[in-house]
Structure formats: C-alpha cells, structure tokens
Amino acid sequence: MSDLWSLIFGRLTLDALPVMEIIHATNGRELASGIVGTAAAGLAVLGALYLLYALTKYRLWGPVWRNWLTSVDHKKIGIMYIVLALVMLARALAEAFVMRTQQVLGDGGGGLVSNEHFAQLFSTHGTIMIFFMAMPFLTGLINYVMPLQIGARDVAFPTMNSVSLGFTAAGAVLLMISLVLQPFSTGGWTGYPPFTEAAFNPGPGPDYWIWAVTLSGIGTTLSGINFVVTIYKFRCDGMKLMDMPLFCWTSLCTSILMIFALPPLTVATGLLALDRYFGFHMFTNGGGGNMMNFANLFWLFGHPEVYILILPAFGVYSEVFSTFSSKTLYGYTALVIATMCIAVLSFTVWVHHFFTMGQSANLNAIFGIATMLIGIPTGVKIYDWMLTMYRGRVRMAVPMVYAVAFLILFTIGGLSGILLANPSLDYVMHNTLFLVAHFHNMLIPGLLFGMLAGYTLWFPKAFGFILDPKWGYRAAYLWIAGFVFAFFPLYGLGFLGMPRRMAEYFNGAWFPLTIVALLGAVLIIAAFACLCIQLYVSIRDREALAVPMGDPWDSRTLEWAVPAPAPEWNFPATPEVEGRDAFATLKEGGYDLRAPDDGYHDIEMPRNSALGPVLMVSSTAMAFGLVWYMWWLAALGAVVCFAATVAYGFRRDTHHIIKAADVKAEWEAFCALADTTPRIPRSLEQTTQNMGHAIPASEEIIS
Amino acid sequence: MSTTRHPGLNLGPHHGKADDTAEVEVFGFWVFMMSDAIIFGLLMATYVVMSGNLNGGPGPRELFELRPVFIETMLLLFSSLTFGFAQIGMKYHPHPARMIIWLLVSIALALIFVGMEVNDFITMAGKGGVPQASGFLSSFYALVPLHGIHVTAACIWAFAILGQIAVYGLDDEVKTGMLRLGILWHFLDIVWIGIFSIVYIGGLA
C-alpha cells in the first residue's frame, strides 16, 4: 500500500494538510497557528471552488476560454496580469497583517503563529509581493499601455505574450497550492543556501519556492524580449525613439533589464535545484560548494530587479505629472538619460546586498560608491517632476495624490538608502528592521503607489468608465497614512536593534513601536478594502461614470486617441505623428477624430491560441510533480509542454482579417458620437458630466 | 513600422511580405540568444570560480582527454558549415531536396557530437568524476551538459522543421524557422568554443 501510495503521490501525505497542525498541536500557540493556516487554506479552497461554481453556473467556461484565456490581444493579457496581481496582493497583505500581529504578541514569547509558520509567512509574503504582485502588475500595465502609446496593433509576439502570462500564472498557482498542501519554504524570498539545501531543509518547501520563482522568471524573460522588439520595431510612422512617451522609455529600459537580469535568477534557482535533487555541491557547506556563488548570482538578478520594479512606476508618474499639470514633461531628455543611467548602474551595485559577508573593504567601498551614484539620476528625475508641476494647471486627481505622496516619501526612502549604501553603517544596520523599513519605503510609495496611480489613470481606457473618485481618494489617503504608520516605526525599531524576521523577542523596548506598526497594517487593510469598494461602486455606477470618448483627463499621448474601451484593432489606421505629446498636438490642431488619410484597409490580427493556457497547466503539473517527487506527473507535464510547443510550430492559419468596412463603421460611429458629446473643461473632469471628451488645454486657457 | 532592415535575411528571391515577419522574428530571436548567452556566461564564470574546489576528488588532468573533445569540436564546427549549406540550398533552390540533405547531415554530425559527449561523461564517471564528488565537478556538470541539451533540442527543432516541410513544403514559416534555428546552431558553436577553451584547454594547460 505505501509503495503504491508513494508511486502515485510521491512524498505527499496527509500531513501536508494544514489541519494536521491543529490535530498535532501540543499547546495553545500551535493550535492558534494551525487555525490560522487552516483558515487561510480554507479561504483559498473556497475561493477556487466558488470560481469553478460560478463559471459553471453562469455558463462562462466557453466565453472565458474564447475571450480571455486563449486571447492573444495585448489589452486582454494586460488586464489578466493585473487581475492576477490584485488577487495575489490580497493574500500577501493578509500575511503582512498576521506578521505584524505576531510581532506585537511575540513580546516575551508566545503569539499567534509558530516560528516555523512565521518563517513561511515572510517567505511567501516576499515571494508573492515581488514575483506575483509587483511583476504582474507592471507587466500588465506595460502590456496594456505601451503598444497603444507607440501606435501599434499588438506586441511583436502575441502568442508568446500569452505564454509569458501562462508561466507567471503557473508560479502563482503553485504558491496558492502551497497554502493548502504545506509547507512553503522558510528561507525568505531570497532562498539563501545553505539554509535551503537538502541537508538543512529536506522538505518540499524550498522546492515550491524554486519552481514558482523559476517559472515566473522564464515568463518575465519572454515578456522582456517581447516588449523590446515591440518598441524597436513597431513604433508608428514618425515616432522617433526620442519622441516616445516616457512610459515607453521606462518600459524599454525595464525590458532590457528583464532580458539581462532574469537569466541569473534562472541559473541560481536551477543550480540550487541540482544541489537539492542530485546532490551537487554548488552551494553546500561541504563537498567543495560555495554559497557565495548563490549570493552573487541571486543579487545579479535581485538588484536590477529593484529597477525593473521601479522604472515602470517612474514612467507612470511621468505621465501623471504631465497629464494632471496640463504641461509637457519638463526635462524630457534628462529624464530619458536618467532612466538609462539607472538601468546601467543597476548592474554595478549588487554586492551591496552582502557587504557583511566577508569580502574586502576595498570591494565594499567600490560598491558603496557605485550604489550612492544611483541617487544622482534619481534626484534629476525628482526635480524634473517637480518642475513639470511648476506653473502647470495642477489638478489633484487620485493618481496625482499618489504621485505627490511618492515625491515626498520616496525621497525619505532614498535618504535611508544612502545610509545603507555606506558599508560601515551597513555593518550596524544590516538584518535589522531598518532595512525592512528602507525597502518597503522604496517599493510601496515607489512601485505600488505608481501601479495604483496607473490603474486609476488607465482604467477608463480599458473598461470605458472611470473609477469612482470618492473611494479612490479614501483608498489613496489610507494607503499613504497606512504606509507611514506601518513602516516609519520600523526605522526606529531598526535603530533599537530589532532583527528582521523575528517571531518572538524579549526586549520590552521594542513593544510600543510594534503596536504602531500594527495600526499601520490595519490602515493598509482598510485602504485595500476601499479599493475593492471603489471597484464595486464603479461597476455598479458604470453608466454614469462612462467615458466612451476615451479622453477623460485631457491626456497627451496616443492611447487616448481611441474609444474607451479600446477596440481590438487599436487604431483604424496606424497613426502618423510628429514630435512628443502626439495626441495633444493632434487635439490642438483639431486632427483627432478624423478618418485615416488614405482610407480604411483590412486589418490582420493574430488568432487566438491555446498554447498559453496549455503551457500554464502542464508547467504547473510538472512543477507540482517535482515538488512532491511525483515523478510521473513531472514527466507528463514536461512532455506536454514540449509537445505543445513543437505542435505550435505546425500551425499555419495564424491570422484573421477584420474587414475595412467594419472598422470604418465602428470608427465613424465613434466620430458621430463625438459630434454630439460636449467637450468638458478640466474643472468638471471628476464629475459625471465627463464623457471622455476634454477641451484641449490651450483652448481652455484662452477662453 | 521601423524602416531599418536587419542584415542576413536569406529567405530566397521571392519573399515579399514574409520578409517583414522575418525581420521581427529574427531580431527577436537574437535578443533571446542574448539572454541565453548570459546563462552560459554565468555558468562559465561559476565554473572558473569553482575549478579549484576539488574536495580531494579527481581534477581536470585525471578526467579530461583532449583527443575526443577535439573530435567533438570538429564535428560541431563542420555541422555549422553544413547547416550553412542547408541555408544556401533553401535560398537558391526552390526544391527542398538539397536543403533537406544538408540539414540531415548537420543533424547527424550534431547527434554524433552528443553521443561522444555522453561517452566522455561515462568515462569520467568511471574515474570517479561524478557531479557529487566536488564543487569543481558540480560546476562542470552544470555547464557542459547544458550545452549538450541545447544541441539535442536544436536537433529536435530541426526534425520539427523537416516535419513541417513534409506537411507544407518549403513555405515562409519553414524559412523563417530555418533562419532562427541557424542562429541557435551557430550560437551553440560559439558557446562550445568557450567551453573548449575555458574548461578543457584551461583545465589541461
């Protein structure tokens, strides 16, 4: 019996169910820990079951398969990425809340979750926030916005785009499975060996981490290739590189970083897998291994990754400041050069992640100086954004609230980074909560606020109605306050010497600040709740909030030149533009909403493909089999992955034609609607009178 | 649409619209090759760092033999030459026979290379040169077989292209596939030259 069991299920036994922690509990804390774990797993299972039920009850399987899962439309793929990001954000926020609670209750020992459980919490929280919240969010925004901004019909490789999403989703699914069939890794999001080696951590936890991260890493590499080729080859006529909207520039630099920085991650996790599965000695303590190899490989990925995360947000902020100040971006050239400098410098600083691991003082000094240099182009950017607002007609719309908060908070975070970049100071503060405060200070106001600003800014383009501003402000202010309360105390705790990742402690001086941080976590949960309510309210009131004319903010770039939601074919004819702020120029000259100069033509669009979802399912199966030593499943998954890819090469009928007459009819209807829709001034843009038809800024100033 | 043309598009005399597609696909594949080059570069660097970690096990002098490795190098280089003949056949001969023959020769050379390489590994293992023996051998087995797996995958791709010719003849998709496979094929040569120089010559010097 046990032979047959292990042949089918490998090392997966009933002990993997979190409810077993309750059954085996020997004290109150283990009981509580088991209840927390079981509740979380229960929520995940219930959520999945409800999804299946709803899809079946409302007969949505067919439409979801045809219109979404197999779609290779960059806009739909972008939306799916962002949905994935928001779902994973909810889970990682809940984990953060449990961790903050534990650090309050952990004063004098005890608490809500066991030490082992706490270690899993910070590992999944970090892994999810980086790989399955931040990365899908920014990839989704780039996917949706960038091709529209450069006047393209789609990305260069639409099916590969769907495959990228499939791999990212596969990693996310694996993480959700690890909630139900435990345990996840206890090695942190960086998964440092030798702690994650088989000798110290033989269970399935680190394997979950390895395969989830590897899958999403491959997906991201492919996304980077796709975006780079799209930007180089698919810009519309007249759009030179130095005419691109800044979001496209940051997308380009981010994509280049993806291409060069993700392979080191794949190498690091791949070698760790060789150590764990085949007894290699790459990073082991004995046998001639050297874990510093891992530190170098991982941070050769990990440091540029920080800029992969932040650059698209910089792009969003550039669009926000320019749009809501009704001005062209100040210092465009400087912003582009600064972006490139940051991208290049990001590869020169990775050693600052292990200043204290025994290399020479000279090496530390060199990397410390290289690290501080990044402050220069970043400072240039901050000044450019401030000068964009200067003498502009600034409107404090929701994205602008995030952007202004970003300017202030991100600068504070940058200053704490300059402290950490000094190796001698780093010796004092490394591995304390000061570090945790620093990188959350960069990533929440920097990345997350930027993503939320972008979400608010481009939502009407994707769905045809704006997000309810009232709940948007509530969410924004709660995010800002929540961030300040949750993370500024951690700077203090760091100075008091509190190590990070600590489940229980016996130093009463730390206790008061942990309570403040918990209060911050409560505010952040409330902020997320506001975002959910905002989405609900906006969908409910979508008729009143509708902006079918597609330009609710008097924006300046091409994506606003088409109806909202954007049609499948993006543009009736690929536009021809001159100079920066392409759409602003068109509007001012009255050339928007015109028929294409040389008439309408048939448009060739890529057909749907099942390759993405097939690879998603088969790679999830392969990874799950590898985690639990279910070798048959791993082999099956691998074979299906491989066969599907080869079979895809045999596809020939890959395009369908959209008739010129259909495009003409749709576009003329849109133009006819424009004639009857009033243009509104900026003062009315947050009201229900806004139909997405703005008065150009120049005209409004004259009148 | 960008007006700069990528050099080296050899689809043949009448390719018209396929040229636009090939332009994007070939460029994209070059970019992909860059990320693959990073992987090999990092594994080579790791090998260099680890090459002294013998852990009391056998070192390069006990394990490496230059003669078979030199023959393997020649096999791979010649398969690149014959792959070039296949692409010339594709460009100048409307009938695919010539291209198919040269492609089969290239596949055969590459598969002999893989077979000899596997034989090398078995010989090494017989002398105690297994990946579990030391950090040096772990990094060797992380690097060199990955190249062999790439060569094997390239052969499978070549068979898939032959299959596509059987179904569709020498159509545009087959041609752009051949262009991309060619990039991979020659790229693997370059990687092997790196391995030959750093691992084998470097280890025996």
Side-chain angles (χ1 to χ4, degrees), chain A residues 232-501:
Chain A
Y232 279 135
K233 298 287 180 192
F234 284 79
R235 275 170 289 126
C236 64
D237 287 334
M239 186 178 278
K240 301 190 193 71
L241 277 174
M242 288 305 279
D243 291 339
M244 291 196 303
L246 212 83
F247 182 74
C248 293
W249 264 107
T250 57
S251 302
L252 175 63
C253 291
T254 287
S255 309
I256 294 173
L257 292 182
M258 285 174 178
I259 294 164
F260 288 110
L262 267 299
L265 175 70
T266 309
V267 172
T269 55
L271 293 179
L272 186 61
L274 287 177
D275 273 10
R276 289 181 59 84
Y277 284 85
F278 299 108
F280 277 44
H281 291 291
M282 297 304 305
F283 313 129
T284 52
N285 275 343
N290 183 352
M291 78 74 66
M292 288 314 293
N293 287 330
F294 186 89
N296 276 297
L297 289 170
F298 185 85
W299 290 112
L300 261 176
F301 145 75
H303 198 81
E305 167 72 9
V306 174
Y307 296 93
I308 293 175
L309 297 176
I310 206 74
L311 286 178
F314 284 179
V316 174
Y317 288 130
S318 301
E319 305 297 321
V320 167
F321 281 120
S322 164
T323 301
F324 292 101
S325 306
S326 294
K327 262 180 76 185
T328 189
L329 204 56
Y330 180 89
Y332 176 93
T333 313
L335 281 166
V336 170
I337 294 172
T339 305
M340 289 302 254
C341 284
I342 291 171
V344 172
L345 284 173
S346 73
F347 279 104
T348 66
V349 304
W350 79 96
V351 172
H352 74 215
H353 292 271
F354 40 99
F355 274 156
T356 62
M357 289 199 207
Q359 61 263 6
S360 73
N362 285 338
L363 193 73
N364 278 357
I366 290 165
F367 278 89
I369 292 165
T371 303
M372 290 180 207
L373 285 180
I374 293 186
I376 297 169
T378 315
V380 167
K381 289 184 155 224
I382 298 276
Y383 282 114
D384 278 338
W385 289 320
M386 293 198 294
L387 288 165
T388 302
M389 289 190 286
Y390 180 66
R391 290 193 166 175
R393 305 190 61 207
V394 177
R395 293 108 71 197
M396 287 304 283
V398 174
M400 202 63 173
V401 172
Y402 284 116
V404 171
F406 151 80
L407 279 184
I408 299 161
L409 297 173
F410 191 78
T411 307
I412 296 171
L415 291 174
S416 68
I418 295 289
L419 288 181
L420 286 167
N422 184 328
S424 48
L425 290 177
D426 186 67
Y427 266 84
V428 182
M429 292 180 291
H430 86 277
N431 235 6
T432 68
L433 283 174
F434 188 90
L435 182 78
V436 176
H438 164 67
F439 71 71
H440 282 88
N441 198 343
M442 304 316 274
L443 288 178
I444 294 177
L447 167 104
L448 188 65
F449 287 7
M451 294 298 110
L452 292 173
Y455 161 77
T456 316
L457 180 70
W458 282 303
F459 188 92
K461 183 49 62 182
F463 295 102
F465 53 96
I466 60 172
L467 287 165
D468 180 70
K470 195 171 64 187
W471 284 100
Y473 283 118
R474 286 172 190 164
Y477 289 127
L478 279 170
W479 267 112
I480 294 162
F483 161 75
V484 167
F485 278 103
F487 291 99
F488 282 1
L490 302 195
Y491 280 123
L493 285 169
F495 281 133
L496 292 172
M498 183 170 180
R500 61 173 168 162
R501 299 171 174 171

Side-chain angles (χ1 to χ4, degrees), chain A residues 586-647:
Chain A
L586 286 177
K587 265 194 294 191
E588 274 159 29
Y591 298 118
D592 59 327
L593 298 169
R594 291 210 319 190
D597 288 339
D598 57 345
Y600 298 90
H601 298 284
D602 287 355
I603 297 174
E604 194 183 84
M605 295 302 287
R607 254 184 219 284
N608 283 6
S609 164
L611 186 65
V614 167
L615 287 185
M616 183 208 147
V617 172
S618 52
S619 64
T620 305
M622 179 179 74
F624 185 74
L626 285 169
V627 168
W628 290 103
Y629 295 178
M630 294 153 75
W631 305 121
W632 64 271
L633 186 62
L636 182 68
V639 167
V640 174
C641 277
F642 205 80
T645 312
V646 172

Side-chain angles (χ1 to χ4, degrees), chain A residues 67-84 136-137 139-144 154-155 157-166 223 226-227 609 612:
Chain A
N67 299 337
W68 292 92
L69 294 179
T70 59
S71 171
V72 297
D73 182 346
H74 71 95
K75 299 182 284 300
K76 288 184 174 171
I77 289 175
I79 291 167
M80 285 189 278
Y81 263 116
I82 293 171
V83 169
L84 175 71
F137 214 142
T139 313
L141 277 190
I142 295 176
N143 244 316
Y144 194 94
D154 206 329
V155 293
F157 307 109
T159 309
M160 190 166 91
N161 203 11
S162 159
V163 170
S164 302
L165 172 66
S223 286
N226 222 336
F227 296 152
S609 164

Side-chain angles (χ1 to χ4, degrees), chain A residues 126-144:
Chain A
T127 308
I128 288 175
M129 280 298 197
I130 299 286
F131 293 104
F132 300 106
M133 189 286 289
M135 293 299 281
F137 214 142
L138 69 91
T139 313
L141 277 190
I142 295 176
N143 244 316
Y144 194 94

Side-chain angles (χ1 to χ4, degrees), chain A residues 162-194:
Chain A
S162 159
V163 170
S164 302
L165 172 66
F167 281 136
T168 308
V173 168
L174 208 57
L175 261 158
M176 294 314 281
I177 292 175
S178 82
L179 197 58
V180 183
L181 298 171
Q182 294 182 342
F184 192 74
S185 174
T186 51
W189 83 276
T190 53
Y192 266 2

